[in-house]
Amino acid sequence: MTERYVYCNGRAHERTVSVSTNKQLSSQAAMKPQSVTNRHMNWLIHGLYTRKHFEQCKKLIDRQLGICYDKQYLYYMKGLILREENNSTEAVHCFQQAIALNKKEPENYKELAKTLYSMGKFRNALEVFLKAETLLERPDHEIYHHIGELYYKNFGQPKAGVGEAKEYLKQAVTCGKHVESYKILAEIYIEEGDSIKAIEMIENCLQITQDDVSLMTQIGILYLKINEYQRAFEKLLDATATDSKHTSALLALGSILQSKNDIDGALNKYKRISNLTDESSEVWSNIGLCFFKKQKFIAAISCLRKATWVSPLNFNALYNLGLVLVTAQQYVSAFQTLAAAITLRPEHAECYMLLGTCLRHLNDPGNAYLSLEKSTMLPDAVKNPLIYLNFALYCYEVGKSDQSVLYLSNFLDMTQHITVHREYLKMADRLNGALAVAAAGQIHAPTAPDTGGHTGGLDRTEKDHRMQDETVVNMSSGGLADTRNEGAVEEDGSDGDLP
């Protein structure tokens, strides 16, 4: 027997009856709702689905499949319900049946592709999304977004990649403001090194989700990259105001304060990190450098050793530990630490410079000379004029005046473009005067006496793509001048390991 569905708008259909008709039958007929057979109950199915009455909805769909000619919509809705219930395999089967009934409907292909995506079948999902795109009559954000995301994750053809992903994601955001599309575009621009475009994408995200702490932190770090310190500081303050214990925001904010020599303020931010005891080595490295600035060498060494223990392959932590050990005149430990750092980065000129300083104080002048000479031959040497000044000093100390003149000239040329502390300029003038006297033949360049092994240097901030780590370049005193650690930090604007 065919199922019959009775529905009523609340008002009974009134029949016109004659006075002679039985009043009781007339009253019953008036109160009884009119019974109507309806083969198309799509409106009711949709209503039950939106109210998440899935069991009733599935029963109604199963009944309708036996009497309704519009089975494509029924299979489509059943697939949506099964996917909501985590029955993806049956959902795929339903969407395939819907496609078989109507091969020109892009919604069927889109939902099938979304189901395959949720099952982790990304290549199959991409193929179905591309098929759905060919059937579109008007732009669809979801299809463009998923195609762009899958191309970005390299699930497309070999010729497709980031360029294709960017184009599809741009089409997606033109259909409307959607956070996920903006986020992936920002990631692409960050990988390409275009911080301005990445900031623009994240600003669009923040217009939609104004309280997203992770986005506030990320945009603050990007502002650091382009040297917009004030705006970076404001964004990071907003992030900590929203979540006072957000690790990444506190770490970035502490790094900025540390770069501005507000050591107590930086330490206060680091103390607020809730999981400090289990935090990454970058946090401990920065804390160690704060204690180093306060001339608390034992505390600095302890924190930096903790950093290297947490991450033995963290180059910055090893380099900073070697630097503090040289400053604390623990040359054997410094030599071992710097040797490990050089193993990780054989092209790092400043490591060889510090290693040469250690070898000089360990009474190995031959290897000290080779190490300092190698530091001037590496590509990184052009970024730090003190490497040339160090080697010029050591050449004068060992009696090689000609080489000393050459490298001192290189140092003076670099100071025309790179700012250095005035104390190093005074030291260069004194060395120049001593070399002039030696060249005049009045005296021979003597071996400079050891002034107690003190090393001084220029403080600056150096961060790789993993973390902001302060790098202090020490130079040998050489007997010409006793240089002191001035404690000045210069921010270079890279974000390092700050999310």
Side-chain angles (χ1 to χ4, degrees), residues 56 115 147 250 263 313 390 399 458:
Q56 297 178 35
T115 307
I147 293 175
L250 289 171
I263 305 304
L313 300 180
N390 253 348
L458 170 69

Side-chain angles (χ1 to χ4, degrees), residues 421-451:
H421 197 278
R422 61 181 179 273
E423 190 167 351
Y424 303 125
L425 295 175
K426 291 180 181 179
M427 180 181 294
D429 290 338
R430 294 173 64 182
L431 175 59
N432 195 21
L435 289 170
V437 172
Q442 297 180 15
I443 61 170
H444 296 287
T447 301
D450 190 356
T451 59

